[in-house]
């Protein structure tokens, strides 16, 4: 009989802390619904005290999600914990995840607290959290650089105060598998009350070992792994959910645990998160990369055709690859469209927004005869920023690209409802378009990244463009999709400018 391994997904909290990856409430809801469908155990939906927007997003997710525990992160201050408690209040099952730093460097330089004060603060935090829910998780930030005796002391105090899950994070991605496993084993042996809690690990990927360290922790007795879709997260990211889940499943001869994850939902989840955040997945990424399965690449094809196990240890369809099939076409009706959306977990709030989306679907189906799930996701992503909240909007564009001539663009935008026209020239049609837009917006931003990906195959595929802009230390990603990549580019640029119109979350000054 195998133990249950709790999959704690923090795509919406740690993942969202990647530069430019912040998501709107609607986007977070879509990801949360997909996580629920994939049957993760816990969804860390955000950091309630970070901003009113994050608070609202957690509350909305807590209201909607029934099949997973909804969690908010909170520092150990009373205000943070009360905000987290209020945010998760509507949940069928809610958790508060509170943390405090325990390494000498963090205690001295950041918290300016003595070890005794840190233990007291941890105990108070867990007790406040228990006023809202029995399901309280405690993390020792920067555990990797903390003294083991002190970790034992603070964890014992947190358990005594009522924590049910004890999380050991490698906040800075410094550990290696043998050392990390040994630390978990030591803590489980030495901490009084260790047998009454679930031990958890949260590993960062700065040295590329987040998944390996997490799995080593599982072999040492951890029964919760904190991870993200596509390994998204601060800096080099977190342990990737799909790799942890498929390692445990594929090597069930080694791991004494099983998850309840529906693996066929992994690839759809990966694509959704990539599309919403604008973080593409590298082709050779394990499990979810386009080349992850041998039959996709020519060289092994012969061997695979003769006998699949020659090169494959997993089946592409088991993780959801086979689902990329034609779903809708030009003649599909409103009901077929609506039911396909709801199968994808996309619930449009009003009949009016369904009508708008359906009109856009028809438009797209005229240009591109086969419509795939990915096209529908992109269409809805494009639709979601309600026109009323869009400061900049593309009305018209005309672009000339001719051999031997300088590319030129004319654009018409509405800016806060007023129509403005401009033209620009550039080294290519996209460059000319961006210059024309800038001559209206004068945003003072720096372009950090421009990328185009084909959403599906074929030259009639929609191009999905990501534009990353920086201004005054703030970074946003804009996305746009269209069968015309110049128009997709203009949409992505305007989407980024629109995101800069909204105030950002405050820097939470702390992370596990
Ligand atoms: Mn983290």
């Amino acid at each position: 009989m195998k133990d249950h391994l709790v999959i704690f997904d923090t795509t919406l909290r740690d993942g969202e802390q990647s530069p430019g990856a912040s998501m709107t409430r609607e986007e977070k809801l879509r990801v949360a619904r997909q996580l629920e469908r994939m049957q993760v155990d816990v969804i860390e939906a955000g950091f309630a005290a970070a901003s009113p927007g994050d608070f609202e997003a957690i509350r909305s997710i807590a209201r909607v999600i029934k099949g997973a525990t909804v969690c908010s992160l909170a520092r150990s201050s009373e205000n943070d914990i009360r905000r987290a408690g209020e945010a998760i209040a509507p949940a069928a099952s809610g958790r508060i995840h509170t943390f405090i730093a325990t390494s000498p460097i963090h205690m001295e330089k950041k918290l300016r607290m003595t070890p005794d004060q840190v233990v007291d603060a941890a105990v108070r935090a867990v007790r406040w959290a228990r006023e809202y829910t029995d399901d309280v998780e405690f993390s020792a930030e920067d555990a990797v650089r903390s003294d083991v005796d002190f970790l034992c002391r603070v964890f014992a105090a947190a358990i005594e105060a009522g924590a049910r899950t004890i999380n050991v994070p490698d906040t800075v991605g410094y550990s290696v598998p043998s050392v990390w496993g040994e630390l978990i084993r030591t803590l489980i042996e030495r901490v009084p009350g260790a047998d009454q809690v679930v031990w958890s690990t949260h590993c960062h990927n700065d040295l590329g070992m987040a998944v390996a360290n997490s799995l080593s922790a599982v072999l040492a007795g951890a029964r919760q792994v904190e991870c993200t879709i596509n390994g998204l997260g601060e800096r080099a990211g977190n342990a990737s959910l799909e790799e942890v889940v498929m390692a445990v499943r594929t090597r069930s001869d080694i791991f004494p645990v099983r998850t309840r994850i529906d693996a066929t939902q992994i690839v759809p989840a990966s694509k959704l998160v990539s599309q919403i955040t604008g973080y593409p997945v590298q082709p050779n990424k394990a499990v979810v990369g386009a080349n992850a399965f041998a039959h996709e690449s020519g060289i092994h094809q012969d061997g695979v055709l003769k006998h699949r196990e020659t090169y494959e240890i997993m089946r592409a369809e088991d993780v959801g690859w086979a689902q990329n099939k034609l779903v809708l076409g030009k003649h599909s009706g409103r009901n077929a469209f609506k039911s396909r959306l709801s199968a994808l977990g996309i619930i449009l709030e009003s009949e009016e927004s369904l009508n708008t989306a359906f009109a856009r679907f028809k438009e797209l189906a005229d240009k591109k005869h086969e419509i795939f799930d990915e096209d529908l996701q992109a269409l809805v992503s494009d639709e979601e920023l309600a026109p009323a909240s869009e400061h900049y909007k593309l009305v018209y564009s005309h672009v000339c690209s001719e051999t031997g001539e300088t590319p030129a663009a004319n654009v018409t935008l509405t800016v806060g409802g007023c129509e403005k026209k401009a033209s620009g020239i550039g080294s290519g049609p996209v460059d000319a378009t961006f210059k024309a837009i800038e001559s209206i917006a004068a945003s003072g931003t720096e372009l950090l990244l421009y990328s185009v990906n084909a959403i599906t195959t074929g030259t009639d595929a929609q191009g999905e463009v990501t534009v990353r802009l920086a201004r005054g230390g703030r970074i946003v990603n804009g996305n746009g999709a269209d069968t015309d990549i110049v128009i997709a580019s203009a949409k992505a640029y305007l989407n980024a400018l629109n995101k800069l119109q909204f105030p950002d979350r405050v820097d939470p000054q702390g992370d596990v």
Side-chain angles (χ1 to χ4, degrees):
M1 185 63 188
K2 296 205 171 216
D3 284 355
H4 177 63
L5 179 64
V6 175
I7 297 296
F8 176 112
D9 180 279
T10 184
T11 307
L12 297 175
R13 199 279 299 170
D14 207 322
E16 205 205 12
Q17 287 174 223
S18 314
S22 50
M23 298 171 228
T24 63
R25 189 178 68 102
E26 286 69 26
E27 289 168 339
K28 281 192 154 195
L29 266 169
R30 276 169 65 203
V31 174
R33 287 200 183 100
Q34 177 59 26
L35 293 172
E36 182 184 39
R37 197 164 33 239
M38 196 166 64
Q39 291 187 276
V40 305
D41 299 277
V42 186
I43 297 172
E44 188 165 55
F47 196 150
S51 72
D54 229 17
F55 178 88
E56 278 310 320
I58 298 166
R59 243 184 115 78
S60 312
I61 292 167
R63 268 190 217 109
V64 169
I65 298 299
K66 300 289 168 238
T69 297
V70 177
C71 172
S72 171
L73 187 66
R75 288 164 296 195
S76 55
S77 71
E78 185 170 358
N79 175 62
D80 263 44
I81 289 163
R82 302 221 179 276
R83 291 293 281 168
E86 288 157 20
I88 61 153
S93 165
R95 173 182 294 192
I96 296 174
H97 175 195
T98 185
F99 72 96
I100 192 162
T102 51
S103 63
I105 181 170
H106 276 249
M107 290 193 288
E108 274 164 38
K109 307 285 181 201
K110 188 179 82 176
L111 299 175
R112 297 177 199 282
M113 288 166 82
T114 65
D116 286 348
Q117 288 171 322
V118 167
V119 174
D120 288 347
V123 167
R124 272 200 311 271
V126 171
R127 286 196 185 131
W128 281 321
R130 284 294 302 260
E131 292 175 22
Y132 296 87
T133 173
D134 290 345
D135 190 351
V136 173
E137 171 171 336
F138 173 77
S139 283
E141 182 185 4
D142 204 20
V144 70
R145 293 185 293 181
S146 303
D147 173 67
V148 177
D149 292 337
F150 183 60
L151 277 181
C152 289
R153 189 180 153 206
V154 74
F155 284 150
I159 294 169
E160 171 81 39
R164 295 276 176 87
T165 300
I166 294 293
N167 182 43
V168 191
D170 180 1
T171 308
V172 292
Y174 182 68
S175 203
V176 299
S178 57
V179 173
W180 197 242
E182 199 45 48
L183 174 66
I184 302 288
R185 191 171 291 111
T186 305
L187 290 169
I188 293 175
E189 270 165 23
R190 283 185 46 193
V191 173
D195 56 335
Q196 291 150 43
V197 296
V198 172
W199 287 84
S200 167
T201 189
H202 175 116
C203 296
H204 275 270
N205 205 34
D206 297 68
L207 292 171
M209 287 184 277
V211 169
N213 289 339
S214 302
L215 293 174
S216 179
V218 169
L219 289 175
R223 289 296 176 263
Q224 173 176 291
V225 171
E226 302 198 357
C227 46
T228 58
I229 304 294
N230 299 337
L232 198 67
E234 293 217 278
R235 306 183 311 279
N238 289 76
S240 95
L241 179 145
E242 57 278 7
E243 292 175 26
V244 170
V245 166
M246 291 315 289
V248 163
R249 179 169 149 163
T250 306
R251 297 310 306 268
S252 63
D253 54 328
I254 293 174
F255 296 99
V257 295
R258 63 165 16 128
T259 72
R260 62 165 198 167
I261 296 292
D262 174 0
T264 61
Q265 294 299 326
I266 285 177
V267 168
S270 165
K271 289 186 172 175
L272 179 65
V273 167
S274 169
Q275 194 153 45
I276 285 177
T277 60
Y279 273 67
V281 175
Q282 76 196 57
N284 57 325
K285 166 80 175 62
V287 185
V288 294
N291 296 350
F293 287 87
H295 69 268
E296 303 277 339
S297 70
I299 191 155
H300 297 318
Q301 238 166 33
D302 187 48
V304 172
L305 288 175
K306 284 177 183 138
H307 191 63
R308 196 178 55 79
E309 280 86 17
T310 334
Y311 289 102
E312 286 190 0
I313 58 166
M314 298 174 270
R315 293 192 309 171
E317 55 267 38
D318 289 348
V319 297
W321 274 110
Q323 297 178 347
N324 185 7
K325 47 183 183 277
L326 170 70
V327 290
L328 294 172
K330 203 178 155 155
H331 302 294
S332 304
R334 192 170 173 277
N335 270 334
F337 176 70
K338 188 180 174 181
S339 68
R340 192 62 213 163
L341 286 187
S342 68
L344 290 171
I346 301 167
I347 293 146
L348 295 174
E349 310 265 317
S350 66
E351 287 297 308
E352 196 191 338
S353 51
L354 179 65
N355 285 340
T356 321
F358 185 62
R360 295 181 51 145
F361 159 74
K362 282 292 191 189
E363 231 172 81
L364 180 64
D366 274 337
K367 291 190 267 184
K368 180 179 189 292
H369 301 298
E370 304 175 315
I371 308 284
F372 298 89
D373 286 346
E374 292 87 338
D375 290 314
L376 296 179
Q377 297 277 15
L379 185 128
V380 177
S381 292
D382 253 19
E383 188 51 47
E384 239 161 22
L385 202 63
S389 69
E390 260 182 324
H391 186 66
Y392 296 102
K393 209 167 178 244
L394 181 69
V395 178
Y396 169 82
S397 84
H398 175 256
V399 182
C400 283
S401 158
E402 188 181 344
T403 314
E405 295 296 324
T406 304
N410 293 302
V411 299
T412 306
L413 308 179
T414 55
V415 183
C418 299
E419 218 166 272
K420 295 195 173 167
K421 291 177 199 292
S423 55
I425 53 168
S427 61
V430 172
D431 191 40
T433 304
F434 285 10
K435 284 185 174 137
I437 292 171
E438 264 308 310
S439 75
I440 296 171
S443 67
T445 55
E446 188 192 347
L447 180 73
L448 299 183
L449 175 127
Y450 169 76
S451 83
V452 190
N453 282 296
I455 294 182
T456 53
T457 52
T459 50
D460 70 342
Q462 289 198 85
E464 181 183 42
V465 175
T466 302
V467 167
R468 187 172 302 157
L469 296 180
R471 184 171 70 195
R474 235 189 110 189
I475 297 173
V476 294
N477 279 332
N479 303 310
D482 200 283
T483 49
D484 181 325
I485 59 164
V486 179
I487 292 172
S489 302
K491 283 184 185 171
Y493 196 90
L494 294 172
N495 183 226
L497 291 180
N498 283 326
K499 283 187 176 173
L500 281 170
Q501 297 286 314
F502 295 107
D504 206 8
R505 44 194 279 136
V506 296
D507 179 5
Q509 277 291 313
D511 174 37
V512 291

